[in-house]
Structures are given as C-alpha cells and as structure tokens.
Amino acid sequence: MQSMTGYGREQIVRDGREMTVELKSVNHRFLDISLRMPRHLSFAEDDVRRQLGAAMKRGHVDAFITYRNSRPDARRVSVDPALAAAYRDAMAELSEATGVVNDMPLYRYAQLPDVLTVTENEEDCEAVGALLRDTIALALDDLTRMRSREGEALKADLTVHLKLLESLRQRILARAPGVVEDYRQRLTQRIAELGATEIDSSRVVQEVAIFADRAAIDEELSRLDSHIHQAYLLMDCEAECGSKLNFLVQEMNREVNTIGSKASDSEIARRVVAAKCVIEKLREQVQNVV
C-alpha cells in the first residue's frame, strides 16, 4: 500500500554530463504529470512521460529536470571575420580623424559585440537519453520508498478508524433487537394511556411486526461488516488499492445512512452519527492512497 505523497531526487554525473531529476507527487484522481526540463532535451519528453507513467498509476507528479554538459566538445566558438575587419577599419578611421594612435590589441577585438559567438554543439541524443532514463529510475526508487513509508502510516491510521467503525457496528447490532421490544412496550403503554379497557393482542402483534419489518437493519449491518473486512484485505494484499477503497467507503456511508433512516431509536441514531464521522475521516485519508 502506497501514499500518493512522495519526493525523490537523484543526480548522475557521467562522461562530463550532469543530469539531475527531482520528483514530487501529491494526491490526484488520475495520473497527471507536469514536466519542467531544458528545451534542448525536448526530444526525450515522450520517453520521460512513458517511463513515469509505467511506474506511477495515480497522483499529480511534478518532474524537474536539469542538465549540464561540461565536455570539451560541448560548445564551439565562431569568429565573424567580416565584422572584425569592419571594427578594425572603423578604429583606423577614428585614429586618423583624431590623431590618436590606434594601439588596440587583439583581445579587445574579441570583446567587441558579436565578433565571437559561443554556440552549443548538437547533443548525442542516445547518450543523453540513456543518462536521463537512469537518473529518472533512481529518482523513482527514492520516490517509491517515501510513498511506501507514507503508505504504512496511512494504513495504520485507516486501520484505527476501521476498528472504530467495526466497534460502532457491533454496538448497533447489539442494540437492534431491543428497538422492537421498546416499540411494543411504548405501543402498549400508549394504548393504556388512551383508556382502552381491552387490548387486542393480535393487533398489537401485527403493528409490532410491521414496525420490525420497517426498522430491520440486519442486511445493512451484514453488508457493512463485509465492506469493513474487504477494506482490511485490500490494504494487506494490494499495492494499488486507492480506487477500490474509495468505492468501499462510499458503500459504507450508504449502509450507515440507511441504518440511520430505518432504525427509529435515539441510541442507534447517536452511533450512526459517530459512524458517519469515522467514515468521513476514512474518506479523507483514502484520497491519498495510490
């Protein structure tokens, strides 16, 4: 079980090339990848997205990629002879016009605008692509380790809330049989208060039976128990269980709502409110599970 929250960073220096990859992930319904990388590495963008997509199924991922090439053949310096000659002629004309000796050294010509131009040589796409893939793989390992640690913390928190929900369900189950008996007693007492001298026991039994059928919550409690145990199994057996857990939490909420609407009892109503609060906490935490 993994959280969608994580961070990974890795740097590789190889053959005069330095690649750094930083990955940050947060919760998101689907996989959403945001890339920030140098323009001259744009040839590798599709490969980067495929590599990240193969390793991550859900979450918003920010990928920051920086690259530096310090090889001797990384850049070239070009000279503009025509422009340099034009500067020379201009300086000679200026010297003649002012009478000042033209003693401008060569290095000063190199400092004049656009005489020398530094340009990046074309990259070895195969070598850079391999370096990028290796760096991403290591950064993903860092990210996955952190997501796994966060996932264990989430699992522990979810387990606490599931056990609390299970306890509330047991209390509702224990209280449920008494609801019908309380209704029978209230009905008998109400009839007596109205001054009836004779009580039709068969009619009372009929009314109690109708109420018992309307207030029956056995099926809802059984399904709620099934959903809780299914959640335990998912957390123990599946690494990517966020979507399924989210569905189960929705179904838990549906069952608890039905129990609250059917069981006309203040004690059960209080426990239903408590159960809904627990389910809301479960829902918030499940949003972070991969």
Side-chain angles (χ1 to χ4, degrees):
M1 180 173 170
Q2 291 185 358
S3 167
M4 279 188 276
T5 301
Y7 174 82
R9 184 182 185 278
E10 192 59 56
Q11 182 182 81
I12 295 180
V13 179
R14 180 190 300 164
D15 297 331
R17 297 182 175 94
E18 180 184 290
M19 188 75 70
T20 304
V21 174
E22 186 177 4
L23 302 175
K24 298 178 181 179
S25 67
V26 294
N27 63 311
H28 195 274
R29 187 176 179 184
F30 306 108
L31 178 61
D32 179 44
I33 299 174
S34 175
L35 281 181
R36 296 183 185 179
M37 57 194 301
R39 183 175 298 178
H40 57 278
L41 296 186
S42 58
F43 68 89
E45 180 174 345
D46 290 342
D47 289 338
V48 171
R49 290 187 179 276
R50 279 194 292 268
Q51 187 175 2
L52 293 175
M56 308 175 70
K57 303 304 179 184
R58 297 178 68 205
H60 173 80
V61 184
D62 287 310
F64 305 92
I65 299 172
T66 57
Y67 172 70
R68 187 169 66 90
N69 189 339
S70 57
R71 292 166 57 89
D73 60 353
R75 300 167 186 82
R76 66 178 181 273
V77 180
S78 302
V79 179
D80 189 336
L83 182 60
Y87 277 124
R88 180 200 62 202
D89 295 343
M91 295 303 295
E93 182 179 350
L94 181 62
S95 176
E96 183 178 352
T98 61
V100 178
V101 177
N102 180 11
D103 58 351
M104 186 171 176
L106 182 62
Y107 78 88
R108 291 289 295 150
Y109 281 97
Q111 294 174 342
L112 293 172
D114 301 325
V115 172
L116 299 182
T117 304
V118 180
T119 56
E120 301 284 340
N121 282 327
E122 188 173 341
E123 288 284 359
D124 183 344
C125 294
E126 185 176 347
V128 174
L131 178 62
L132 179 56
R133 287 191 296 273
D134 293 345
T135 311
I136 289 175
L138 293 176
L140 279 170
D141 288 342
D142 284 348
L143 179 70
T144 300
R145 283 192 291 270
M146 182 172 180
R147 284 166 65 123
S148 295
R149 290 193 299 269
E150 292 291 321
E152 289 302 311
L154 275 177
K155 181 179 178 180
D157 188 71
L158 289 171
T159 300
V160 169
H161 289 99
L162 283 171
K163 288 187 179 298
L164 181 55
L165 182 60
E166 200 170 11
S167 175
L168 289 168
R169 176 199 166 275
Q170 290 292 342
R171 294 178 187 177
I172 293 173
L173 179 65
R175 171 58 186 163
V179 174
V180 176
E181 176 59 24
D182 287 352
Y183 177 78
R184 186 190 65 78
Q185 292 179 4
R186 289 198 307 272
L187 180 61
T188 302
Q189 182 180 356
R190 180 64 58 84
I191 293 173
E193 290 174 352
L194 292 174
T197 56
E198 294 184 5
I199 299 177
D200 187 346
S201 59
S202 62
R203 182 60 186 274
V204 171
V205 169
Q206 183 181 5
E207 289 295 327
V208 171
I210 292 173
F211 173 82
D213 183 65
R214 187 171 64 248
I217 55 175
D218 295 349
E219 293 183 6
E220 288 78 9
L221 289 171
S222 177
R223 286 194 293 267
L224 180 58
D225 182 58
S226 175
H227 297 332
I228 292 172
H229 284 86
Q230 185 66 20
Y232 284 131
L233 290 175
L234 285 173
M235 291 192 299
D236 289 337
C237 302
E238 295 194 23
E240 298 169 3
C241 57
S243 297
K244 293 179 180 179
L245 283 174
N246 188 52
F247 172 76
L248 280 176
V249 170
Q250 292 178 23
E251 292 303 305
M252 292 176 193
N253 190 60
R254 189 194 309 275
E255 302 301 343
V256 169
N257 280 334
T258 304
I259 290 170
S261 63
K262 291 177 69 174
S264 302
D265 180 74
S266 59
E267 187 175 337
I268 289 181
R270 287 194 298 272
R271 288 167 183 169
V272 163
V273 171
K276 292 177 73 171
C277 292
V278 173
I279 290 173
E280 180 60 23
K281 293 178 181 177
L282 284 170
R283 187 192 66 78
E284 291 176 358
Q285 291 289 53
V286 163
Q287 304 306 311
N288 294 313
V289 179
V290 174

